[in-house]
Amino acid sequence: MKTRGITLRELMQLSVLGKARVVSGEQGLDRVVRFVDIMEVPDLKGWISEGVMLLTTAYSIRHDPSLLAELIYTLDNLGAAALAIKPARFLKEIPQSAIDASNDCGLPIVEIPPEIPYTDITQPVTELLLGRQAMLLRRAEEVYRTLTTMVLENSGIQAVTDNVAEFLKAPVALVDPERRIIVTSPADYDWQQETVPLNWSIHVDRRTVAKLLVDKERLDDMEEVGIEQARLVFALELMRRKVAEDTEFRLRGNFIDELLTPPLPSRHEVERRARQLGMNPEHKWEVAVIEGETAPSEETVNNLLDREAKKRGVTPHAEYRSSRAVLFLPTPEGRKLSAAEDIQESWSKTLEGWLLDKSNGLSNYRTGVGTPEYLWDIYTSYNEARKALSVSRRLGQGPGSVTRYEEMEVYHLLEGLSGPGFEHLFERKLGKLLQYDQEHDSNMLLTFYHYLECRGSLIDTANSLYIHRNSVKYRLERIRDITGFDLNDPREQFVCHLCLIYYYLQEK
């Protein structure tokens, strides 16, 4: 613990310094004195401590008093508190250049009468400093004992925060690294109004996990002692909370594994255990699977999920398996939303936003989303999310896409069809186009598929294929020539679309 010591202003009230006077640098009277030392040599670097009040007769610079101004600046740079000097014997008077330097940097020069021995100054000052430090240590122990007792008695982080706020006589808050409130005292205090409150970092496992905010301009010695002890206790409280959250997360993961692995537990058992683990069984849950060539960043996904969970007031869950993140996303059942709110609040839209925001680092991943199910049927939503991913991958949907099973359900049914029926239909309708692609190493089939997927929009088709719009027009003309189709005929579009979907599902 680093104590602040005593200000020079307070020391000047000692009786032994009654005849001493502050010659210059009065603006530095509130500098804190932590030590008293005596100067024997002019070279100060390497042995001057921050907060020292240096006593000297100026003997070492008696032949060149002009060095005193340089000495003043050196002491200021090293963090000294003051220079106490007996000028009568060797300097006769303090040079004006030294006084100007003192006033310039705010390091006080104290003139001491020659008849006062150094020991008459060092002894009472040291006793005063030691007494203050002993008092601060006793206060530190008292604060620490009070706060740690609250932690050991499981009083809760709110009670600890209230105690710290009472001790400091000021509003106090604990915020996470993203400035979201963890706890505050008083509970309704508006921290948005405070632009630059005093703040200290809270560390757990060598990571900054929170900041302690105090709405106060400055702290005195006692309050600084309290803050140091409060930081330690908050770290203990947050570490305990983290251990509890990690344990609960692990238990949720085990529970999720059981829900995804037949034979499945009974509905009654699912409801009971879900409530114990904070997973509301009255909500409906969608499963979203995020996959890419490499595993998505757990920290990124967890932070995004955390932020969205706080906004929605729900408790989602994430599991990480191989190169996939599997998200279990709850939505309160029975909420009546307008169409605009429904779009805004759907998990699919949220996931799209994550993948489109390049700063998240998820733009190279694709996502499949199952239909909402109760927890005891979540296995269905999980399988649907995987099927949506599988179908979208084979239909050539690129990274950054979010595919809902509801959109791919018909395609999934087509995937299961086999036999000569569709093969003959495909050969009759699009066989020539496939043969043209094979002979010319072209992409007419793929262009036709994207054109139909984009509902005949040339611009959207060009964007999907990453080619120019004129290239799309040219390819469509070639498709008309090869197949003889009227590409604007709805029936032809429907039949060809089904044939292309069937082809890509079977071939890829």
Side-chain angles (χ1 to χ4, degrees):
M1 180 188 68
K2 181 179 179 181
T3 56
R4 290 192 59 195
I6 299 172
T7 65
L8 181 62
R9 191 187 302 278
E10 292 175 287
L11 286 183
M12 293 301 294
Q13 304 304 314
L14 291 174
S15 58
V16 70
L17 295 176
K19 295 183 179 180
R21 69 185 184 94
V22 178
V23 176
S24 57
E26 287 87 352
Q27 69 267 40
L29 282 173
D30 289 320
R31 291 194 180 212
V32 175
V33 178
R34 295 192 177 95
F35 315 97
V36 180
D37 205 346
I38 298 173
M39 187 186 86
E40 301 292 349
V41 294
D43 184 11
L44 304 178
K45 293 182 180 179
W47 62 271
I48 286 293
S49 301
E50 183 181 353
V52 70
M53 182 173 78
L54 198 63
L55 305 180
T56 185
T57 60
Y59 176 79
S60 61
I61 59 172
R62 67 190 185 281
H63 298 303
D64 189 2
S66 64
L67 292 175
L68 190 58
E70 183 181 339
L71 178 67
I72 296 292
Y73 285 116
T74 301
L75 286 171
D76 179 56
N77 289 333
L78 295 174
L83 176 66
I85 189 169
K86 292 183 181 182
R89 184 172 180 184
F90 298 108
L91 290 182
K92 305 308 179 186
E93 64 179 11
I94 299 173
Q96 184 60 43
S97 60
I99 293 174
D100 292 342
S102 169
N103 288 326
D104 179 41
C105 65
L107 181 87
I109 296 178
V110 181
E111 184 176 348
I112 301 174
E115 67 272 12
I116 301 178
Y118 281 152
T119 54
D120 286 0
I121 298 173
T122 57
Q123 184 176 347
V125 170
T126 301
E127 288 177 353
L128 188 60
L129 289 170
L130 291 175
R132 175 66 65 88
Q133 290 177 0
M135 180 177 62
L136 290 174
L137 287 170
R138 286 195 299 272
R139 182 56 174 156
E141 184 181 357
E142 178 186 333
V143 172
Y144 179 71
R145 187 168 53 249
T146 300
L147 295 177
T148 50
T149 299
M150 297 180 76
V151 173
L152 294 172
E153 292 178 350
N154 200 22
S155 301
I157 198 168
Q158 181 66 61
V160 174
T161 309
D162 290 341
N163 188 282
V164 174
E166 175 61 26
F167 168 71
L168 297 175
K169 306 298 181 190
V172 170
L174 208 61
V175 299
D176 67 16
E178 296 184 353
R179 303 283 294 183
R180 294 175 298 196
I181 295 290
I182 298 174
V183 63
T184 182
S185 181
D188 58 350
Y189 191 76
D190 184 8
W191 284 95
Q192 299 298 327
Q193 303 299 320
E194 302 302 326
T195 54
V196 284
L198 296 176
N199 67 89
W200 296 263
S201 296
I202 309 294
H203 302 287
V204 173
D205 292 338
R206 299 180 183 177
R207 293 188 306 112
T208 299
V209 296
K211 278 191 177 293
L212 174 60
L213 309 181
V214 177
D215 184 16
K216 209 167 187 177
E217 290 187 3
R218 63 187 298 257
L219 303 181
D220 61 26
D221 290 4
M222 291 294 184
E223 291 169 338
E224 285 196 355
V225 168
I227 283 292
E228 290 304 312
Q229 303 307 322
R231 289 175 65 194
L232 177 58
V233 171
F234 276 127
L236 291 172
E237 187 69 37
L238 291 173
M239 184 165 60
R240 186 176 69 172
R241 176 184 281 195
K242 182 177 183 299
V243 169
E245 288 175 352
D246 288 348
T247 301
E248 186 175 89
F249 186 86
R250 187 170 61 254
L251 292 174
R252 280 184 192 159
N254 295 338
F255 179 50
I256 289 290
D257 282 341
E258 292 183 37
L259 294 180
L260 300 183
T261 309
L264 306 178
S266 67
R267 172 175 171 175
H268 174 74
E269 177 68 10
V270 171
E271 289 179 328
R272 183 185 66 81
R273 291 181 61 189
R275 287 193 176 92
Q276 289 176 344
L277 297 172
M279 301 177 73
N280 195 329
E282 296 179 4
H283 293 172
K284 280 203 166 183
W285 296 69
E286 298 168 69
V287 178
V289 179
I290 302 175
E291 73 166 14
E293 293 184 3
T294 59
S297 164
E298 293 188 24
E299 183 178 1
T300 298
V301 174
N302 287 340
N303 286 339
L304 291 169
L305 197 57
D306 234 19
R307 192 181 309 150
E308 191 64 25
K310 286 182 171 63
K311 189 190 302 182
R312 295 169 180 259
V314 294
T315 306
H317 184 79
E319 289 285 316
Y320 298 90
R321 304 176 177 195
S322 184
S323 61
R324 291 177 167 181
V326 184
L327 311 184
F328 300 86
L329 310 170
T331 300
E333 180 71 343
R335 285 192 64 188
K336 293 183 179 179
L337 304 172
S338 67
E341 288 177 323
D342 189 36
I343 291 173
Q344 182 182 0
E345 294 198 23
S346 73
W347 278 108
S348 296
K349 286 294 179 183
T350 298
L351 292 168
E352 278 183 24
W354 294 359
L355 270 58
L356 289 173
D357 187 349
K358 293 185 178 180
S359 65
N360 292 327
L362 297 175
S363 56
N364 289 325
Y365 293 83
R366 55 168 63 87
T367 302
V369 184
T371 55
E373 300 286 351
Y374 288 109
L375 274 173
W376 48 88
D377 290 325
I378 205 169
Y379 179 69
T380 301
S381 185
Y382 174 60
N383 281 335
E384 289 175 348
R386 294 168 63 196
K387 290 171 184 174
L389 264 181
S390 173
V391 171
S392 68
R393 193 186 314 115
R394 280 178 284 174
L395 290 179
Q397 292 195 4
S401 61
V402 175
T403 306
R404 299 168 60 200
Y405 179 74
E406 294 169 344
E407 300 167 352
M408 292 289 171
E409 190 170 8
V410 172
Y411 297 175
H412 176 63
L413 295 176
L414 286 174
E415 184 182 20
L417 296 177
S418 60
F422 254 112
E423 292 178 10
H424 291 160
L425 180 61
F426 176 85
E427 179 61 31
R428 188 170 69 253
K429 304 294 289 186
L430 298 170
K432 291 181 180 179
L433 204 56
L434 175 59
Q435 183 179 356
Y436 181 88
D437 275 348
Q438 292 170 343
E439 291 175 355
H440 295 82
D441 192 23
S442 60
N443 289 307
M444 296 301 175
L445 271 181
L446 186 63
T447 302
F448 197 15
Y449 168 72
H450 280 278
Y451 174 73
L452 295 173
E453 280 284 304
C454 295
R455 300 180 181 86
S457 168
L458 294 178
I459 294 176
D460 290 346
T461 305
N463 291 337
S464 297
L465 293 169
Y466 302 101
I467 60 177
H468 195 273
R469 178 184 173 185
N470 288 339
S471 298
V472 175
K473 291 179 69 175
Y474 168 77
R475 291 184 186 181
L476 291 176
E477 290 171 3
R478 293 295 298 135
I479 291 169
R480 287 191 187 94
D481 293 342
I482 295 166
T483 61
F485 293 152
D486 177 2
L487 299 185
N488 295 319
D489 184 336
R491 184 179 179 283
E492 289 285 17
Q493 288 182 345
F494 173 72
V495 174
C496 289
H497 202 181
L498 285 181
C499 287
L500 286 165
I501 291 169
Y502 170 79
Y503 169 75
Y504 283 115
L505 289 176
Q506 300 297 324
E507 291 298 313
K508 296 186 180 181

